Amino acid sequence: GISSKDAVNSMRSELLDLPDLLAVQPLPPSMNMVGWITGSTTEAVGTQVYRFSDNVHTSQLTLEEKAILRVVSEPADLSNADILVSLEQNGRSISESDRLGQLVAEIDKGSYVLKLKPKAEAPFLVTLAAAYETRIRSDLALIDAGSCADVLPDLAAGVDFTANAWTIGPTFVRLRSSYLTQQGALMKVPISLAVSSVVYLEVGSALPLDLVRIAL
């Protein structure tokens, strides 16, 4: 993960030159809402710009089995880049982030409180990811079974969007480790747009285990 303020500032500096593409929202009161970890969901990843005052902001999290949790906090205002993320259970600290809000923890079944406290009032681009270990093991078993591809599949020969259409991924692709040695342009996906639109593509790894992301 990113471990220095200079690296974070370099990675997120494009936010100063781009219009706001995501609505700024308050931190949700629970991470068990629809779209996050629910009874039928074994993993969840989400990125959102949240607004924070200089107070502690909390969100409840209940897990039905052992899981991996990762939180990545990236400043939307580079003058206020420090934020502390902590995870508590029954008032006891389970895990704390570095001062840049990078946290990863292996946690057991139970109820927890996720706390975020910025050094000053500022918005942050926060990515939250959680996955039950049974799901992680099943994914790894697929890799061991030799089901990974040697090349990237043809994800789309061309996608046409109508004026009111939108889509949210992700599309999962499993590649062999030998693919990592390749360099240069890996793929091209033609997209035909009927109206002016915001197109966002993010390529990354299984975030709960590995923090590897590329936004294009």
Side-chain angles (χ1 to χ4, degrees), residues 17-212:
D17 301 319
L18 293 176
D20 292 334
L21 302 183
L22 296 175
V24 180
Q25 299 179 357
L27 186 71
S30 172
M31 302 314 302
N32 297 111
M33 301 170 64
V34 174
W36 294 100
I37 292 292
T38 59
S40 61
T41 305
T42 57
E43 66 175 358
V45 179
T47 298
Q48 179 61 49
V49 179
Y50 295 117
R51 60 175 180 268
F52 296 96
S53 65
D54 55 0
N55 297 320
V56 177
H57 296 249
T58 63
S59 184
Q60 305 291 323
L61 172 64
T62 299
L63 300 173
E64 297 182 358
E65 57 182 279
K66 200 168 189 177
I68 301 293
L69 172 71
R70 186 184 292 273
V71 181
V72 180
S73 306
E74 302 166 68
D77 182 349
L78 299 184
S79 64
N80 294 314
D82 293 351
I83 186 171
L84 178 65
V85 181
S86 61
L87 187 69
E88 295 184 0
Q89 184 179 45
N90 299 324
R92 181 173 61 92
S93 178
I94 301 298
S95 180
E96 282 193 357
S97 70
D98 58 17
R99 62 189 180 87
L100 298 176
Q102 316 275 330
L103 177 147
V104 61
E106 182 182 36
I107 48 181
D108 294 320
K109 173 182 177 180
S111 296
Y112 299 85
V113 177
L114 183 66
K115 293 186 174 182
L116 293 89
K117 186 181 189 322
K119 185 177 180 180
E121 182 175 352
F124 280 81
L125 183 72
V126 179
T127 299
L128 295 158
Y132 288 139
E133 291 192 355
T134 53
R135 172 59 185 267
I136 295 174
R137 285 193 292 269
S138 66
D139 285 349
L140 293 176
L142 289 175
I143 296 176
D144 295 337
S147 58
C148 295
D150 291 315
V151 296
L152 273 171
D154 184 8
L155 296 181
V159 180
D160 295 324
F161 292 96
T162 59
N164 60 348
W166 58 276
T167 183
I168 297 177
T171 297
F172 294 101
V173 176
R174 293 184 172 90
L175 299 170
R176 296 185 185 277
S177 58
S178 59
Y179 189 84
L180 300 178
T181 61
Q182 299 189 40
Q183 298 182 4
L186 301 180
M187 68 178 301
K188 295 181 179 180
V189 180
I191 299 176
S192 177
L193 300 173
V195 297
S196 298
S197 307
V198 173
V199 178
Y200 178 82
L201 169 68
E202 183 170 305
V203 181
S205 63
L207 193 104
L209 282 180
D210 307 295
L211 175 53
V212 179

